Structure formats: structure tokens, C-alpha cells
Amino acid sequence: MSADTEMERNICDFLERNGKSTALIIAKEIRLDKRTVNKHLYDLERSNQVFKTDELPPVWDLMEKKNEIKQTLKPEQTSPTTRDTGEEKHVEDLLRSGALKAHQIATGLGQSRTTINKQLYSMMEKGKVQKCSKSSTWSLNEEWSDDSFSQESSSSCPSDHGLDSVSGLQNFKVITKLGEGGFGCVYKVKHKYDRKIYAVKRVILTRKADSEVMALADLVHPNIVRYITCWTDSDNWTSNQERNQVNNAPGSSDVVTFDRDGCEEREDDDDDDDDEEDVTSGMESLSVTESASAAAEPSGNNRTNSSNHSRTYLFIQMEFCAGGTLTDWIKARNHMEKQRTIVEIHQIFNEIITGVEYIHANKLIHRDLKPDNILFGADGKVKIGDFGLVAAQTDQNGDPIERSNRGTRPYMSPEQKCKKNYDEKTDIFPLGLVWFEMIWKISTGNERVKLWMDLRDRRFPEGFSGSHPTESKFIMKMLSYSPEHRPHAKDLKENLETLFSLNQSLSQKTV
């Protein structure tokens, strides 16, 4: 039996034992790379042994079960926008195994070459894929497809069977899902008792989540998303009945305790081998009480194995930022839905820097600053959010910490991409990119991809330095390859205040 045949047999055996699963879950269980599993899944699909659903990410199952699953699917209810997004995701999944020609993609997805070509050029316009003119092959654009990040998204935020069924939110009316990222889901909710609107983030209870709560609980600042409280809930995706038995077991508890004396090193979670570097160094420890841990991990014959996906989730309740994200603000500016004055831009960026200065003053590094994680309150004030990658600046002895290269690749500093012993200056690099985005209009995804590589290398588009000489000098320093050449947030804020006062006379200038 060839190695490929054996791998495909292992995949089919897994689907036979466990039922429908995503490529990521299959890869983890049979200990193969996700790209390899994706390649074999599409090979199996071409040989009519497996099929995939239109869910995102695709869910795979054996062909013999297709009739059963078809009864639960209602493709006629799918909107054109959702359908297009799903088709793009299928193309992305196929390209994760490597560069392919259009006819190969068409064959792999069972589509006509004309349809696939149209899809590919649409995705290229959005900056998702790129074409090699010499070989006529298509590939994912590295700068805008962080494979490891999307993989975590699949595992940390499973598909819900409806907003009303989200376990752990019994005291809330779930209004909508605000977003889904590499480290969890965020819901807009209304509390059933105080009737107020909040945002609740659901993440798998790990050391990363532990650190996020501790950071939010300690960071009290007008430009930081306000933390309310947190709790845990155990969820078995396979069986609601089993989940209820666990949650209602005698002695079970959802209580989360803060260990204020907790400076001892804890045993590493198996799922967080890549994250033992810095997430809890120098920070107080958040721990689940023993009864809650027991409820989350049943013993004896009732213990669920990994194929049943039994996990404990941490829910973080925060203020709801009604003003949207900086991404929304930038998109509106790029589409000229609203003119922006230079003073308005400076005011917003000053609040961002003020929040980052406060984070650094508390000996923390955010590590994932980007427009998606910068929000606006109902009053228009900036609120920095998503502390899922927060880290201590140094260890307990004040020494540098070995870091991971987690984050959002387009905004990562060079040292963060290379997994070096970086410090808080790593947050300054993405702020330079963010400031540029706020000022300069970028019309299309394709234009963005071409511009972004130059920008990361401190090469501005023609006309930028001439139109914004002072800003370009600041951004140039912020984008320095060596972190020691970048300004500290505190110094940057002081210098910017001088710049802003000089620019008051430009209050009517639009960009």
C-alpha cells in the first residue's frame, strides 16, 4: 500500500468513526499537516469517496452519508454574497496545498474553467490570490493569508447551531455574532436582567485566555475596552444531553477565581506548547476552581475523548463599542462616503497612542494592533480591544522572554515575524502602518497588496511624503526595521501633541 493510499484510508477511517469533520480536526487527530489533509480530501472528493458541505470552513464526510446530510441543508436559502464567499473559501482551501493552474482548480472543484477564472480574478482584485505570469499558476497571497491564524479560527470558534443555542450565554439574549477570529467569537448580547447591551467573547479556556482576562481586569483606561466580568462553561459539541449532565452535576461550578499571589509556574496545557513563552510571565494567574475543572473534564467512563470535542470555554463580558471598528472607518474614508479632516485623523491616532502608552506603562505588549482591534465607543472615543495575544514585557527577573510569532502577519513587526526576543517596540511598527492607512486612500485589494510590501520596507507611494511631510517622517521612524530606532509610545505621544497643535490651522484640510 502506497503512502498516499494509506493516508486516504486513515482519513476515511476517521470519518467513519467520528462522522463529519473539518480538515483541521482530521489533521489534528491523525497527526498530519492540514495542507496534506486538504490535498487528500480533494483527491477523495474527485474519486467520489467523500464530499464537503458549503459551511465555512468546509465540513467533510463520507459520500455514503450524503443523502442523510442533504436533508438538513437548504442551499436555496443561501444569499449570493454568502455563496460567493463560500466558493472563494473552497478555492483558498485548494490552493493551500500549493500553486495550481486554473484548469486544475476547476477540475478539483468540479467547476467550469470560465467560472473559476472569473472567481480567481475577483479574488485577485481583493488581494487574496496572485498569478505567476511565467507559469500561469495561482497561489494564495502570503501577506494576506495567515494559514495558522485561520486554522485556529476553525478550532477556537465552532459553528453554532443557532444563536439561541450558544452554551454559556443563558443570562443573555444573543443579538448577533459580531465577529470570529483566531482566538474566539464575539457576540452582541442583551442582558436579561439589567437590559443593557454588552459584547461577550467566547474563547477556549487556555493560558492565552487566562492572560487576556488578567490584562483586561487590570487595564482601566478611557481608550481600552472596559472589562465587566468573566465565567466558564463546559460544552460538548457532540451531545447536548451529556453537556447538561456535566453542567448540572453535583458540585459543579462556573466560579472563576483570581489567584492574587499566583507567581508560581503552572503546568503547560497540551494545546499550548507553542505559547509557553510569555503569556503569563510576570502576570497574576487566573484559575478555574477545582469543581469547575472536574465538571469540564468528566472522569471514568463519562470522560469524553478528543473526537467528541469536549471543551471548557471562558466567556469575557465587555462594554459594547457601538461606533464600530477602525476598519469600518477606513473603508468609509476609502469609498469617500465621508471626508476626513487631517485634525480628525490626528485626534483619533492620538487616542490610539494614548491607549498603547498606557498598555506599555503597565509592562504589557498588545502584539496584535490592527484596525480590526481598534474600536469606537458610542461617543466616538477610541477603544483598543482584543487582548488575546497580550504578553508581559519581561520575565519576573526583568530579563527578555523568548517569543512566539503569533499575530496578524500583515501588521507584524519584522522581529515578531522572525520570533525574536522582541519588546514593546513591536507594537509601534503596526501603528505606523495603521496611521498610514488612516491618511492614504487605498481603493482596491490588489492595490493594497502591491503597496503593502513597499510600505513595510519604508517606501511610500508617490505623493505621500510631499502631501504629508511631517507624518511621513514619524511613520518612517515607526517602521524602522530595528526596534531600537523606533520611538517609545510615550515619546511618540509627546511629539505628536506638538504636531497636532501646529496643525490646528489645517482643521479644514481633507484627505
Side-chain angles (χ1 to χ4, degrees):
M1 182 185 296
S2 68
D4 285 349
T5 303
E6 185 176 358
M7 287 180 189
E8 290 176 2
R9 181 175 177 180
N10 289 339
I11 291 172
C12 290
D13 287 344
F14 175 84
L15 291 173
E16 178 68 33
R17 293 192 310 269
N18 301 283
K20 59 182 182 179
S21 298
T22 63
L24 178 63
I25 292 173
I26 297 171
K28 284 185 175 181
E29 292 301 320
I30 65 177
R31 298 186 178 182
L32 285 178
D33 178 76
K34 185 189 173 188
R35 295 187 180 189
T36 303
V37 169
N38 259 323
K39 176 182 179 298
H40 286 299
L41 283 168
Y42 281 104
D43 288 342
L44 287 166
E45 184 184 38
R46 284 192 286 271
S47 62
N48 290 321
Q49 296 184 61
V50 302
F51 74 99
K52 64 180 180 296
T53 68
D54 291 330
E55 298 175 55
L56 294 177
V59 176
W60 297 84
D61 206 348
L62 295 175
M63 182 61 75
E64 60 196 50
K65 301 178 183 178
K66 187 171 185 178
N67 291 334
E68 177 185 345
I69 292 183
K70 266 188 174 180
Q71 296 174 4
T72 65
L73 298 176
K74 297 181 179 179
E76 67 276 8
Q77 295 182 357
T78 305
S79 67
T81 302
T82 304
R83 185 164 58 249
D84 291 343
T85 304
E87 290 171 358
E88 289 183 4
K89 189 67 171 64
H90 295 161
V91 173
E92 288 179 28
D93 284 338
L94 195 56
L95 288 176
R96 291 189 194 283
S97 60
L100 295 170
K101 293 188 176 182
H103 74 86
Q104 293 173 315
I105 299 172
T107 301
L109 297 179
Q111 300 283 345
S112 69
R113 185 169 177 177
T114 302
T115 301
I116 291 300
N117 266 321
K118 182 180 178 181
Q119 191 73 50
L120 286 167
Y121 281 104
S122 173
M123 293 172 69
M124 184 170 73
E125 181 67 18
K126 298 174 184 177
K128 292 184 176 182
V129 299
Q130 57 190 357
K131 185 180 182 181
C132 176
S133 56
K134 290 184 179 179
S135 62
S136 296
T137 57
W138 294 84
S139 60
L140 290 175
N141 190 300
E142 262 186 42
E143 196 63 31
W144 294 97
S145 63
D146 186 351
D147 191 46
S148 62
F149 196 74
S150 64
Q151 287 179 24
E152 285 203 28
S153 173
S154 302
S155 61
S156 64
C157 195
S159 298
D160 297 308
H161 299 289
L163 294 177
D164 291 338
S165 66
V166 180
S167 177
L169 295 177
Q170 292 86 347
N171 291 329
F172 299 88
K173 173 179 173 55
V174 181
I175 300 172
T176 186
K177 183 188 287 186
L178 293 172
E180 181 174 337
F183 303 98
C185 295
V186 182
Y187 299 95
K188 178 182 178 181
V189 300
K190 183 176 183 179
H191 200 286
K192 292 181 179 178
Y193 300 107
D194 67 25
R195 304 292 182 179
K196 292 185 178 180
I197 302 295
Y198 299 98
V200 174
K201 183 174 182 179
R202 179 181 73 172
V203 294
I204 296 171
L205 182 57
T206 63
R207 290 174 46 177
K208 292 192 297 290
D210 186 288
S211 299
E212 180 173 8
V213 165
M214 290 310 309
L216 280 172
D218 287 337
L219 296 177
V220 181
H221 189 273
N223 297 125
I224 304 292
V225 171
R226 182 165 55 92
Y227 164 82
I228 308 296
T229 188
C230 66
W231 64 92
T232 61
D233 192 271
S234 179
D235 188 15
N236 183 332
W237 308 347
T238 303
S239 169
N240 288 332
Q241 182 178 3
E242 290 175 2
R243 182 184 68 212
N244 291 335
Q245 289 174 349
V246 170
N247 288 342
N248 296 327
S252 65
S253 172
D254 283 354
V255 178
V256 175
T257 60
F258 290 89
D259 180 6
R260 294 296 177 184
D261 300 322
C263 296
E264 298 180 2
E265 187 174 354
R266 292 177 298 148
E267 182 177 342
D268 296 330
D269 297 329
D270 292 339
D271 292 337
D272 291 305
D273 292 338
D274 294 335
D275 300 305
E276 59 183 318
E277 30 98 11
D278 57 0
V279 289
T280 54
S281 302
M283 300 178 67
E284 296 161 324
S285 172
L286 168 70
S287 60
V288 185
T289 59
E290 183 177 353
S291 55
S293 299
E297 182 113 14
S299 59
N301 296 330
N302 292 326
R303 183 187 299 271
T304 56
N305 57 34
S306 58
S307 64
N308 283 336
H309 314 300
S310 178
R311 282 175 174 157
T312 301
Y313 290 94
L314 178 66
F315 292 80
I316 307 171
Q317 183 182 350
M318 302 165 286
E319 67 172 310
F320 172 67
C321 296
T325 67
L326 185 61
T327 299
D328 301 326
W329 188 96
I330 291 172
K331 285 180 179 178
R333 178 256 182 278
N334 286 342
H335 293 116
M336 302 307 290
E337 294 172 8
K338 182 181 179 182
Q339 294 281 344
R340 311 291 185 183
T341 66
I342 196 69
V343 169
E344 181 183 3
I345 292 172
H346 287 171
Q347 180 180 348
I348 293 172
F349 192 70
N350 183 48
E351 291 182 20
I352 296 172
I353 287 292
T354 301
V356 173
E357 178 195 16
Y358 178 77
I359 294 169
H360 292 177
N362 280 269
K363 308 300 181 185
L364 298 173
I365 313 173
H366 187 282
R367 298 204 299 175
D368 199 19
L369 291 169
K370 58 183 179 181
D372 279 349
N373 292 340
I374 298 169
L375 305 98
F376 295 97
D379 58 357
K381 295 293 183 183
V382 165
K383 304 283 184 176
I384 298 175
D386 200 338
F387 285 77
L389 285 179
V390 69
Q393 292 181 13
T394 61
D395 66 15
Q396 296 173 5
N397 298 320
D399 296 324
I401 301 171
E402 183 179 350
R403 306 290 189 183
S404 74
N405 61 350
R406 291 182 178 275
T408 305
R409 294 192 66 80
Y411 292 91
M412 276 189 194
S413 68
E415 67 271 18
Q416 192 169 339
K417 275 190 173 184
C418 297
K419 199 176 178 179
K420 293 182 179 178
N421 293 332
Y422 52 84
D423 58 15
E424 69 274 12
K425 291 281 191 75
T426 196
D427 283 342
I428 302 301
F429 189 91
L431 290 181
L433 298 171
V434 169
W435 194 5
F436 175 88
E437 278 187 284
M438 293 173 64
I439 297 171
W440 194 251
K441 180 180 178 181
I442 305 175
S443 300
T444 66
N446 197 32
E447 177 189 349
R448 182 186 187 88
V449 171
K450 292 178 180 177
L451 182 149
W452 211 254
M453 296 299 292
D454 286 341
L455 184 59
R456 289 182 61 90
D457 288 333
R458 304 204 301 170
R459 296 193 298 269
F460 297 131
E462 184 178 354
F464 180 76
S465 297
S467 301
H468 308 281
T470 309
E471 291 88 340
S472 66
K473 290 178 183 178
F474 276 106
I475 295 173
M476 186 73 75
K477 291 181 180 179
M478 296 168 75
L479 297 180
S480 296
Y481 185 86
S482 299
E484 58 266 25
H485 294 153
R486 297 176 208 146
H488 284 281
K490 183 175 183 292
D491 297 331
L492 185 59
K493 182 175 183 295
E494 291 175 356
N495 290 325
L496 287 177
E497 286 175 351
T498 302
L499 168 66
F500 297 158
S501 63
L502 292 175
N503 277 340
Q504 289 301 317
S505 60
L506 301 176
S507 60
Q508 300 305 314
K509 180 183 176 182
T510 58
V511 294

